[in-house]
Amino acid sequence: MALLVCPECAREISDKAWACPHCGLPAEYFYFLAPDAKAAPITPVSISVTSLCDMLVAFEHDYPALLVKDGYIAAQEVQQLQKMYAQYNDALQNNIFARYILHHADQLAVDLIRLQRFHMAMDSLTFDIARRNDRFVSQKMIVYKDYFDTILHELDPN
């Protein structure tokens, strides 16, 4: 028997339990089987629903703040945002956990609209940043057109 951490209440439970004896979360909602495994579930989702709600609020602040930033958005900044929210994004890729959240959203106080925006933003993050950076570079090329047109004029008038 192994002890696992319940993703809802963060207390230790047996890997043989049908549900968390502390909060009642069914084991099927925080386990998923390895593709080649036939036996016991192996990987619990490592986030709680409370932290998921808090994360959705934080993401709704961090994501737009990155997009409205004045300047070019570096790949390191994008990676930092992805890394900060990767644990939640990965947990929500677990179909069992995602279904549990969707079916119990009212009881868990999860804002499904925020959750949907989180999914869409994480899926399109790279594209959105690339598009925003292209727009930034195009605007700067217009602003500095005279400079770019004459920068090498003294060296080569042609």
Side-chain angles (χ1 to χ4, degrees):
M1 177 182 91
L3 290 178
L4 301 172
V5 176
C6 173
E8 181 59 27
C9 66
R11 295 172 86 179
E12 288 186 336
I13 62 169
S14 166
D15 64 341
K16 305 294 184 209
W18 290 93
C20 175
H22 309 287
C23 68
L25 181 69
E28 66 191 40
Y29 288 115
F30 55 89
Y31 290 120
F32 61 96
L33 293 172
D36 57 345
K38 294 181 183 176
I42 58 164
T43 308
V45 171
S46 61
I47 64 170
S48 72
V49 175
T50 305
S51 68
L52 174 67
C53 294
D54 294 342
M55 177 281 305
L56 290 172
V57 172
F59 183 79
E60 289 223 334
H61 173 266
D62 293 343
Y63 182 70
L66 181 65
L67 289 178
V68 299
K69 176 186 160 202
D70 185 34
Y72 190 87
I73 300 172
Q76 181 181 7
E77 294 172 285
V78 177
Q79 290 169 349
Q80 182 180 4
L81 185 77
Q82 287 173 323
K83 184 178 178 182
M84 190 181 325
Y85 295 103
Q87 179 182 16
Y88 298 97
N89 196 34
D90 293 345
L92 291 166
Q93 299 302 319
N94 177 343
N95 289 335
I96 295 172
F97 184 72
R99 252 184 314 180
Y100 176 75
I101 297 296
L102 290 174
H103 291 297
H104 297 90
D106 290 340
Q107 299 150 339
L108 301 170
V110 174
D111 186 341
L112 291 178
I113 294 171
R114 277 190 173 143
L115 186 64
Q116 183 179 24
R117 284 193 300 245
F118 174 74
H119 272 297
M120 291 187 320
M122 290 301 284
D123 287 344
S124 66
L125 181 65
T126 306
F127 176 76
D128 291 344
I129 299 298
R131 186 176 64 202
R132 193 240 174 244
N133 281 342
D134 287 345
R135 213 172 27 244
F136 174 79
V137 169
S138 296
Q139 290 171 348
K140 291 302 177 185
M141 288 178 69
I142 292 169
V143 170
Y144 294 109
K145 181 184 181 327
D146 292 338
Y147 173 75
F148 289 134
D149 287 347
T150 60
I151 190 171
L152 297 175
H153 194 272
E154 289 180 14
L155 295 175
D156 184 7
N158 294 326

